[in-house]
Amino acid sequence: MSAALTRYAYLGPSGTFTEQALRMVPEAADAELVPMVTVPEALRAVRDGEADAALVPLENSVEGAVPPTLDGLVSGKPLMINREVLLPVTFNLYAAPGADLGSLKNVASHPHGLAQCQGWLREHVPAAELVASSSTADAAEGVVRGDWDAAVCAPVAGQRHGLVELAVNVADNAAAVTRFVLVTLPGRPPAPTGADVTSLVAFIAHDRTGALLEVLTEFAVRGINLTRIESRPTKERMGRYCFFLDCDGHIEDARVGEALMGLRRVCADVRFLGSYPRAGADHEGDGRAEPSDDDFADAAAWLDRVRVGGA
Ligand SMILES: O=C(O)C(=O)C[C@]1(C(=O)O)C=C[C@@H](O)C=C1
């Protein structure tokens, strides 16, 4: 990515976890941050050239994938992931001044937020209706508007709107982390760092027995560590899925390049989503099991020699 990027779209409004994650991206420090109402809108802004990049939530360590992000990446004009950001997420319960736990008729949050706090909410406000909002910060704004009684959101969202903190750390799992990705239009991926992730979508040849096994084999035989596999319906008809894969390594690595070529041969289609630096040390395995990078280079040199009569 060039240093000339100036407009970063994100899942808004101001006060979302996505905004907090975007503020951890060094290139965004001097950029204009543009809140969008939904993930598809943030991705559309990049596709239409209204924004140079968008930061969107991809998965949460407790609730799993964020489906609108997966669906937004898999179809439409291709986009590319340039960076990932990991953010620990902690939720508080906020209401308008004067409210208390017993007075709450409803509580709003992003579906992922409600899911991550469902045990606490069931125990402490069992009578409250749970309302899905477009983001946790939108839930906080809804309390200010009078749309609902309380919001489960980030402390920054509740505080910015002058809401009253009824409870802190209401998530069922205190160690939850959300993974966000920064996407742009396709370009040359960031240079390899030695600790990178490659993301892609494999559309398997459905009528072939063992099609998914063939996909996995392309990685396994080259000693590439897969760090995520997730299926989503292709929406063509019942029983049709595509597979989101993350693996250790960079498309410029010999083994990853070879695996991608192999996938291209055995799959109906492959969408490359990017190679980018791995954030944190959450993924185990370094992808450097045998054969080593030197073995790949040595094998390529040997083939070149043999093809011209050498040994
Ligand atoms: O609503 C927000 O604040 C978001 O940034 C979205 C989102 C998500 O999509 O998972 C991000 C982190 C939390 O897990 C809950 C909501």
Side-chain angles (χ1 to χ4, degrees), residues 11 16-18 57 60 66 89 91 110 112-113 116 135-137 178 180:
L11 174 64
T16 57
F17 290 107
T18 313
N60 174 268
V66 179
V89 287
F91 297 91
H110 185 279
H112 260 53
Q116 288 174 69
S135 71
T136 55
T178 299
F180 299 84

Side-chain angles (χ1 to χ4, degrees), residues 254 292-302:
S292 69
D293 285 350
D294 286 347
D295 293 330
F296 273 81
D298 179 62
W302 171 81

Side-chain angles (χ1 to χ4, degrees), residues 40-173:
E41 266 299 294
L43 299 179
R44 186 207 51 76
V46 176
R47 287 190 168 110
D48 290 354
E50 273 173 35
D52 301 291
L55 192 79
V56 289
L58 184 75
E59 60 170 332
N60 174 268
S61 61
V62 175
E63 268 308 295
V66 179
T69 300
L70 298 190
D71 291 346
L73 291 174
V74 76
S75 61
K77 198 164 146 184
L79 293 169
M80 202 179 88
I81 302 173
N82 288 274
R83 177 190 277 278
E84 65 175 7
V85 179
L86 298 179
L87 181 79
V89 287
T90 55
F91 297 91
N92 291 355
L93 181 70
Y94 288 94
D100 57 36
L101 279 188
S103 69
L104 302 183
K105 289 193 208 54
N106 47 52
V107 176
S109 192
H110 185 279
H112 260 53
L114 292 176
Q116 288 174 69
C117 304
Q118 56 185 304
W120 190 95
L121 292 168
R122 214 178 299 122
E123 189 182 338
H124 294 91
V125 284
E129 182 194 353
L130 304 185
V131 185
S133 57
S134 59
S135 71
T136 55
D138 175 64
E141 287 193 354
V143 175
V144 176
R145 287 193 301 265
D147 292 349
W148 33 72
D149 294 343
V152 165
C153 60
V156 65
Q159 288 155 11
R160 258 182 215 175
H161 292 295
L163 298 176
V164 175
E165 199 173 78
L166 292 187
V168 295
N169 294 330
V170 299
D172 300 330
N173 184 329

